Amino acid sequence: EAGVAQSPRYKIIEKRQSVAFWCNPISGHATLYWYQQILGQGPKLLIQFQNNGVVDDSQLPKDRFSAERLKGVDSTLKIQPAKLEDSAVYLCASSLGDVWGETQYFGPGTRLLVL
Amino acid sequence: AQTVTQSQPEMSVQEAETVTLSCTYDTSENNYYLFWYKQPPSRQMILVIRQEAYKQQNATENRFSVNFQKAAKSFSLKISDSQLGDTAMYFCAFAPAGNNRKLIWGLGTSLAVNP
């Protein structure tokens, strides 16, 4: 079974530029999560999709971050414009359904450096 | 507020020895799930072990086991016969009922297994 795929793996941009990350979840997984992991911290949930609907985006900085999940499969997370404090690893995860307590499967992450 | 505390930012252990990572959490919920996730250097996060709060029996997974003390709100991870491949960040997380199934994460413990 193929795992969660993410691209790019690394990205360096200057502040005020825009950037987009892509995620392809495990086939058949209905729930998709985007996390931000700042160095030395645990993951912080940015947005959670159930199929192509948003379940939770309470911690997404909506003035600069946006995310979509077209057709309930792939997802894209965008930052526009980027700030220095956005430097982090962006993790995508997926789970089979929306069952409480189920395992989340993570991708390798995209490491973003904003200069 | 619901929180997870991992009081050991860094730990080290000799290969083949046993190490215990601590985790405490705070919640008023009676039902929840607890997790230990492992994040090796530059590799993706994977689930190590999962515990359901209403189950009194401690979960085990090969060399990994937990000591779940519900009254004390403690969920420690024991790694037996440590291997070099166990070197990683270990995150404790829990999913309380009624939290929109969102995981609450600790800051992690960096474990180094020395040859």
Side-chain angles (χ1 to χ4, degrees):
Chain A
E1 173 182 84
V4 177
Q6 288 188 249
S7 68
R9 292 295 308 276
Y10 305 93
K11 191 75 178 178
I12 301 174
I13 61 173
E14 295 192 349
K15 60 183 179 183
R16 290 189 290 274
Q17 286 187 325
S18 62
V19 64
F21 312 128
W22 173 82
C23 173
N24 181 238
I26 292 173
S27 177
H29 279 197
T31 306
L32 185 146
Y33 313 80
W34 281 104
Y35 289 93
Q36 180 192 59
Q37 186 179 23
I38 292 173
L39 188 64
Q41 298 183 17
K44 170 189 168 185
L45 180 68
L46 293 176
I47 189 166
Q48 176 182 340
F49 292 95
Q50 173 76 6
N51 296 310
N52 59 351
V54 175
V55 173
D56 187 336
D57 64 356
S58 57
Q59 299 191 93
L60 185 74
K62 298 180 186 64
D63 57 334
R64 298 185 301 106
F65 286 64
S66 64
E68 60 181 6
R69 188 181 184 196
L70 299 176
K71 300 181 181 178
V73 183
D74 293 5
S75 177
T76 303
L77 176 70
K78 295 180 182 177
I79 308 175
Q80 182 179 13
K83 292 185 175 181
L84 297 177
E85 59 260 36
D86 298 332
S87 294
V89 177
Y90 290 84
L91 300 171
C92 180
S94 69
S95 62
L96 190 59
D98 191 27
V99 176
W100 173 45
E102 63 183 359
T103 299
Q104 295 183 22
Y105 297 86
F106 286 80
T110 296
R111 191 175 299 273
L112 174 68
L113 179 60
V114 182
L115 302 176
Chain B
Q2 300 182 105
T3 58
V4 175
T5 301
Q6 293 181 249
S7 59
Q8 305 146 317
E10 295 181 355
M11 293 190 73
S12 64
V13 64
Q14 292 299 120
E15 198 174 3
E17 293 187 346
T18 295
V19 64
T20 299
L21 310 183
S22 67
C23 172
T24 58
Y25 55 93
D26 186 20
T27 183
S28 57
E29 298 285 343
N30 196 43
N31 291 325
Y32 44 86
Y33 285 84
L34 293 155
F35 306 84
W36 278 99
Y37 278 89
K38 168 185 176 181
Q39 189 175 38
S42 300
R43 294 181 61 190
Q44 61 207 73
M45 185 102 69
I46 58 172
L47 179 71
V48 175
I49 202 163
R50 175 176 171 269
Q51 174 83 42
E52 299 167 63
Y54 61 86
K55 286 189 176 179
Q56 292 190 346
Q57 186 174 5
N58 288 326
T60 62
E61 195 69 46
N62 299 317
R63 298 181 295 106
F64 299 87
S65 62
V66 297
N67 182 5
F68 174 45
Q69 302 288 329
K70 190 173 184 181
K73 297 180 182 175
S74 171
F75 184 61
S76 60
L77 175 70
K78 185 171 85 171
I79 306 174
S80 303
D81 186 25
S82 297
Q83 301 176 0
L84 297 178
D86 295 334
T87 293
M89 280 291 290
Y90 286 82
F91 291 96
C92 178
F94 85 109
N99 196 45
N100 201 23
R101 303 178 182 86
K102 203 160 56 177
L103 284 177
I104 298 170
W105 296 79
L107 293 181
T109 295
S110 177
L111 176 67
V113 179
N114 302 313

